[in-house]
Amino acid sequence: MGKITGFMEFERQDEGYEAVETRKKHYKEFVIALTDDQAKVQGARCMDCGIPFCNNGCPVNNIIPDFNDLVYTQNWREAIDVLHSTNNFPEFTGRICPAPCEAACTLGIHELPVGIKSIEHAIIDKAWASGWVVPQPATAKTGKKIAVIGSGPAGMAAAQQLARVGHDVTVFEKRDRIGGLLRYGIPDFKMEKSHIDKRVEQMKAEGVTFKTSVYVGDKDLPGGIGNDAKEKITPKQLLKDFDAVILSAGSEVPRDLPIPGRELEGVHFAMEFLPQQNKVNAGDKLKDQIKVTGKNVVVIGGGDTGSDCVGTSNRQGAKSVLQFELMPQPPEQENKMMVWPYWPLKLRTSSSHEEGCDRAWAITTKEFRGEKGKLKAVVTAEVEWKKDEKTGQMKMSEVAGSEKEIPAEAVFLAMGFTNPVAGLLEGFGVDKDARGNAKATTDGVGCYATNVPKVFAAGDTRRGQSLVVWAIREGRQAAREVDAFLMGDSVLPR
């Protein structure tokens, strides 16, 4: 694939970024995509691997060597067909996927890997600009009705696949706009929401019906994080009205930090903070928006959500941003001979970190301190991790004398998510796994089916919090299983 000697001739060229001081002044995307010629060179670097591990490293099993070669030969029209054959939404993954495919790249063993993500980005952007992304409505209707609960990447992927084989699909979303955490969890500077809007219009033309501000559950309309619902529909009603139901509402219950001072004004979940800024960017008027202008900000949690809080805080004009991680600092470079082709544990610095952020590892938060009900400081201590001689597990202990008080007027808890929102699984009577997710297998007969007849689960609702690319995979696979359940067989790819 690519040029036979390309991997020996050409260096990796990453996408560029707008200058820090410029991009911090707005919430638009700031990545400078590869030109056609640059993408061609990246495609040329793809090796003629006996086993292309990148295919398996990619959760949706993108046919990566093929589209790399097509970009190298500048056959862009066929490249998007190859890419779309496995991935419904490459404009999402080409922007926000961490690219496990690149970690699995054979060239990456001894050189920098092929820029697969940047090639994917280039293909889909050219496809949209060229008018190649068009609705694909079914040629005949089956008469079967399917409800999809949740409009994140899993729900959108499942809905699109099922509509294309002739089913009538209705997507229910409790927020006021479609997209799930793509819409309200990921900042606009990482992915502008016009990409979601374009896919929604395509899917409407393919026959998908979208219903927003609708809460699915037996209980009263809930308040709190992530709810714009104005009407309710019960699980019983859905089971009566539809031939199949897919639960793809995500894993939205945030992990809390119940320490002294948690109730102070200024301590927030990340998902209280991030969606508000996205709503403002979309033109909404909000009362009492969480703003950190001129404040000392502490972000607790070292993952992507924490990084998003860092970038948003910088754009709001925070005085300082400090990010804590409980685990030790990972190595700057992995031992490739030990981990390849799997996802390596190593230090990752995001574009948001580069915009201004101090980071600290092996830190535990002990207390929030305040005055007159408002946060003023965070009390922390250093910890060390040692292997327990009896169990072999790593255990944490506080370092004596390491306690300190850090000024902070805003804290964002970004420590991950534990399980789907309360009431969804209970309302349908779906069994849970040990972690509180919907219990459904991905192996053998009845994949993605729950214990409740005609109810299926996919994405974070089933597997727990994960990547957008895993959600797309599960949505596609669940669609095939639902189609086979309703029709006896399925032509959809797995």
Side-chain angles (χ1 to χ4, degrees):
M1 298 298 169
K3 186 178 181 182
I4 294 176
T5 56
F7 68 94
M8 296 186 291
E9 298 177 32
F10 306 119
E11 299 292 329
R12 176 184 171 104
Q13 181 168 352
D14 290 312
E15 295 176 313
Y17 289 159
E18 193 175 283
V20 168
E21 290 309 313
T22 302
R23 71 187 194 234
K24 283 170 62 176
K25 296 176 182 178
H26 63 77
Y27 290 90
K28 299 292 186 181
E29 291 179 11
F30 54 81
V31 170
I32 303 170
L34 300 183
T35 65
D36 287 4
D37 287 341
Q38 290 170 336
K40 177 178 179 177
V41 170
Q42 279 306 296
R45 296 182 71 234
C46 189
M47 304 169 69
D48 188 11
C49 300
I51 300 175
F53 288 90
C54 56
N55 287 14
N56 290 328
C58 172
V60 293
N61 302 124
N62 278 338
I63 312 170
I64 293 165
D66 291 44
F67 69 61
N68 282 345
D69 183 60
L70 290 165
V71 169
Y72 168 59
T73 59
Q74 298 289 277
N75 190 344
W76 293 91
R77 184 65 182 84
E78 190 173 346
I80 187 57
D81 291 340
V82 170
L83 182 51
H84 267 152
S85 71
T86 56
N87 186 351
N88 295 66
F89 313 119
E91 62 271 44
F92 302 164
T93 52
R95 286 169 166 79
I96 59 177
C97 183
C101 55
E102 294 186 13
C105 176
T106 304
L107 181 58
I109 297 174
H110 61 282
E111 299 284 350
L112 292 176
V114 176
I116 300 167
K117 179 180 174 181
S118 63
I119 293 174
E120 180 178 0
H121 187 182
I123 293 170
I124 185 59
D125 280 9
K126 179 174 282 292
W128 276 111
S130 302
W132 299 334
V133 185
V134 296
Q136 300 176 38
T139 56
K141 287 290 190 178
T142 65
K144 301 293 185 180
K145 298 171 61 179
I146 301 163
V148 176
I149 302 173
S151 69
M156 288 183 68
Q160 185 167 63
Q161 293 293 92
L162 289 164
R164 287 178 173 179
V165 292
H167 302 304
D168 291 319
V169 183
T170 302
V171 177
F172 295 90
E173 169 58 51
K174 68 178 181 294
R175 302 301 301 251
D176 59 349
R177 295 181 177 93
I178 296 299
L181 291 186
L182 286 171
R183 174 76 65 178
Y184 286 129
I186 295 171
D188 290 11
F189 56 80
K190 289 177 67 174
M191 193 189 84
E192 293 175 15
K193 306 317 173 211
S194 59
H195 304 297
I196 304 173
D197 297 335
K198 289 190 294 185
R199 282 295 180 181
V200 168
E201 290 307 308
Q202 180 197 33
M203 292 171 65
K204 286 180 179 178
E206 293 170 342
V208 177
T209 299
F210 292 95
K211 293 189 175 182
T212 56
S213 300
V214 178
Y215 169 70
V216 176
D218 289 321
K219 300 179 181 179
D220 292 336
L221 294 179
I225 300 173
N227 294 292
D228 299 312
K230 296 179 181 177
E231 60 180 290
K232 180 182 73 171
I233 187 168
T234 65
K236 182 178 179 180
Q237 189 66 45
L238 285 181
L239 291 171
K240 177 183 176 182
D241 294 344
F242 292 87
D243 298 295
V245 176
I246 298 177
L247 307 180
S248 54
S251 177
E252 293 187 276
V253 178
R255 186 170 284 109
D256 206 347
L257 188 59
I259 59 175
R262 172 63 181 88
E263 76 287 348
L264 290 170
E265 180 182 336
V267 182
H268 305 280
F269 287 118
M271 290 306 298
E272 293 175 303
F273 176 54
L274 297 174
Q276 288 190 351
Q277 186 60 59
N278 284 8
K279 278 179 168 286
V280 170
N281 294 345
D284 292 357
K285 302 295 183 182
L286 298 185
K287 293 180 61 178
D288 303 321
Q289 180 190 358
I290 300 169
K291 296 293 289 286
V292 298
T293 308
K295 295 181 179 180
N296 296 297
V297 176
V298 169
V299 178
I300 301 177
D304 289 340
T305 304
S307 173
D308 294 343
C309 289
V310 170
T312 302
S313 295
N314 281 326
R315 281 160 178 75
Q316 287 190 359
K319 181 180 179 180
S320 69
V321 183
L322 175 60
Q323 185 176 25
F324 295 154
E325 170 56 57
L326 185 63
M327 301 303 293
Q329 180 175 342
E332 293 190 9
Q333 182 61 52
E334 77 275 22
N335 184 337
K336 291 186 178 180
M337 293 298 100
M338 292 291 290
V339 299
W340 180 88
Y342 302 108
W343 185 248
L345 175 65
K346 67 176 183 179
L347 179 63
R348 302 179 192 278
T349 299
S350 72
S351 58
S352 291
H353 294 138
E354 294 169 352
E355 293 166 0
C357 174
D358 292 324
R359 304 163 76 184
W361 285 267
I363 297 293
T364 185
T365 308
K366 302 183 66 175
E367 181 184 354
F368 301 122
R369 290 179 179 170
E371 295 177 5
K372 298 180 179 179
K374 294 185 177 181
L375 177 71
K376 293 297 181 182
V378 178
V379 179
T380 68
E382 297 175 16
V383 297
E384 58 181 1
W385 293 85
K386 292 183 179 179
K387 183 177 290 188
D388 186 278
E389 295 182 358
K390 293 182 179 180
T391 65
Q393 296 179 331
M394 297 298 292
K395 289 194 173 182
M396 179 186 78
S397 61
E398 185 176 323
V399 176
S402 64
E403 185 175 301
K404 65 171 62 175
E405 182 178 282
I406 299 170
E409 294 80 46
V411 166
F412 298 118
L413 307 180
M415 303 175 295
F417 304 88
T418 59
N419 50 268
V421 292
L424 179 66
L425 303 186
E426 292 91 336
F428 281 93
V430 169
D431 288 345
K432 302 177 185 178
D433 64 16
R435 297 183 299 162
N437 303 315
K439 189 175 182 180
T441 181
T442 58
D443 300 318
V445 178
C447 294
Y448 295 95
T450 69
N451 61 297
V452 179
K454 73 180 188 181
V455 176
F456 296 75
D460 290 6
T461 296
R462 191 203 67 82
R463 67 180 287 117
Q465 70 166 51
S466 190
L467 304 176
V468 166
V469 68
W470 271 107
I472 294 172
R473 171 195 171 105
E474 295 223 343
R476 287 171 60 89
Q477 291 186 340
R480 176 182 170 85
E481 296 303 319
V482 170
D483 187 37
F485 165 73
L486 295 174
M487 308 303 293
D489 197 6
S490 179
V491 296
L492 288 172
R494 192 174 192 281

